[in-house]
Amino acid sequence: MKTGVIDVGGGFRGIYGAGVFDSCLDQDISFDYCIGVSAGSANMASFLGGQKERNIKFYIDYGFRKQYASLGNLLRKKSYLDLDYIYGTLSNTGGEYPLNYDSIMASPTEFVIVTCNALTGETIYLNKSQLSRDHYDVFKASSALPVVCRPYVFGGVPCFDGGIADPVPVARAFADGCDRVVLILTRPRDEMRTQDKDRLPARHLARTYPRAAEQLLLRYKKYNDSLELAKRYEAEGRLLIVAPDDCCGLSTISRSHESLEQMYQKGYRDAAAIRPFLEKAE
């Protein structure tokens, strides 16, 4: 029985997944396969590294620093999020909270990271074999939000956030051989996406990366279709959706300390459903 977990990310809403994974660490729950999108991939890195509460520090402490996310970054570096600061300065050896690279690489868990080719709009699935110590570019490539961030070049390819390519990679997890999957959402399970909020960013993006802009316009449909697929699998007992009942006022880039703490606690509590699901699957 191959078990998998998906974390769809969602910017600062991703702290919900951080709570889920911290609960999994406390319960000694492991998975055979992890696939993460954007901030979801960073949550998984700390999980596989056995670093409980590491992500809280990033969301609630570091995330309020100007070096992390600010209009100043956008003006100076063309990226609202300074991905080199987040996944380099803070996370490298000697940084304030280094990633446990050795534990990630020693883990038998498959680790897949989703990103988007900015030139073609195609989905790229990276894996932990493409990590090396103090070179965590796979996470930068998966987390480069279109418009507010410039694409991050990985392997010579400019990449945007994986959420515009495969926002809920349920089909991929099962195609990779999973028998049972836990899906971590950062929106309520019945909340469907609309195209409205993506139209203006897509129009701007189309000037430089037209194929990526096309995918951004289709994101709502891909999200909704994958969520419907997830619910079908859930009805069959093959998948468990873990999702917050509300977003506590958080969005992709807006945050408050109180809302982040509330969202984390929701994730930690909701993870109680995971062990019964996995044990039933056995």
Side-chain angles (χ1 to χ4, degrees):
M1 182 69 68
K2 182 176 179 177
T3 60
V5 61
I6 301 166
D7 188 336
V8 304
F12 284 98
R13 292 195 317 275
I15 196 171
Y16 178 82
V20 172
F21 283 119
D22 280 352
S23 179
C24 286
L25 286 172
D26 280 346
Q27 297 179 68
D28 198 26
I29 293 172
S30 61
F31 300 91
D32 302 308
Y33 174 95
C34 293
I35 182 167
V37 182
S38 191
S41 66
N43 286 342
M44 287 175 167
S46 295
F47 171 65
L48 293 178
Q51 295 174 285
K52 184 189 172 187
E53 297 185 352
R54 178 177 184 270
N55 287 315
I56 295 180
K57 194 76 173 173
F58 278 74
Y59 287 107
I60 293 185
D61 186 355
Y62 307 151
F64 285 82
R65 295 179 180 177
K66 292 181 180 179
Q67 303 101 303
Y68 192 111
S70 66
L71 291 176
N73 283 345
L74 188 61
L75 292 172
R76 291 190 305 273
K77 302 183 178 184
K78 308 301 181 187
S79 289
Y80 181 79
L81 297 170
D82 188 340
L83 300 173
D84 289 325
Y85 178 74
I86 299 166
Y87 300 114
T89 303
L90 294 172
S91 299
N92 288 347
T93 304
E96 289 184 59
Y97 213 143
L99 196 58
N100 191 342
Y101 172 79
D102 290 333
S103 291
I104 293 171
M105 301 309 291
S107 170
T109 301
E110 294 177 54
F111 186 14
V112 179
I113 301 100
V114 185
T115 188
C116 176
N117 185 317
L119 298 176
T120 67
E122 295 174 315
T123 308
I124 301 173
Y125 299 99
L126 304 170
N127 59 68
K128 72 177 183 181
S129 70
Q130 291 159 295
L131 284 171
S132 60
R133 190 183 306 278
D134 297 340
H135 293 282
Y136 305 128
D137 293 351
V138 292
F139 306 125
K140 301 173 189 178
S142 185
S143 303
L145 296 168
V147 181
V148 298
C149 292
R150 61 185 178 186
Y152 195 88
V153 178
F154 180 82
V157 178
C159 296
F160 277 125
D161 191 289
I164 71 173
D166 191 355
V168 188
V170 171
R172 180 71 186 200
F174 282 99
D176 283 346
C178 290
D179 299 293
R180 297 289 186 271
V181 171
V182 174
L183 170 61
I184 303 170
L185 301 176
T186 56
R187 301 171 183 271
R189 58 176 290 135
D190 294 321
E191 182 179 314
M192 307 298 277
R193 289 194 70 111
T194 67
Q195 194 184 56
D196 296 347
K197 291 184 178 180
D198 290 332
R199 286 176 182 157
L200 184 59
R203 192 178 308 147
H204 178 81
L205 189 62
R207 300 171 188 167
T208 47
Y209 297 99
R211 296 294 177 83
E214 290 171 5
Q215 295 307 306
L216 182 56
L217 284 172
L218 290 172
R219 173 168 63 173
Y220 81 101
K221 186 178 188 306
K222 289 186 282 188
Y223 182 96
N224 295 343
D225 288 350
S226 293
L227 186 54
E228 285 192 14
L229 177 64
K231 289 180 178 179
R232 289 203 298 272
Y233 283 145
E234 188 175 47
E236 296 170 4
R238 300 170 63 190
L239 183 143
L240 172 70
I241 297 174
V242 179
D245 53 6
D246 68 80
C247 294
C248 303
L250 296 174
S251 70
T252 304
I253 59 175
S254 69
R255 70 279 193 200
S256 75
H257 286 98
E258 182 180 1
S259 295
L260 287 165
E261 179 63 34
Q262 289 173 351
M263 195 72 151
Y264 172 84
Q265 293 299 335
K266 285 179 186 289
Y268 193 93
R269 289 193 301 268
D270 292 347
I274 294 176
R275 182 173 291 284
F277 168 72
L278 296 177
E279 290 179 347
K280 184 178 179 180
E282 295 173 357

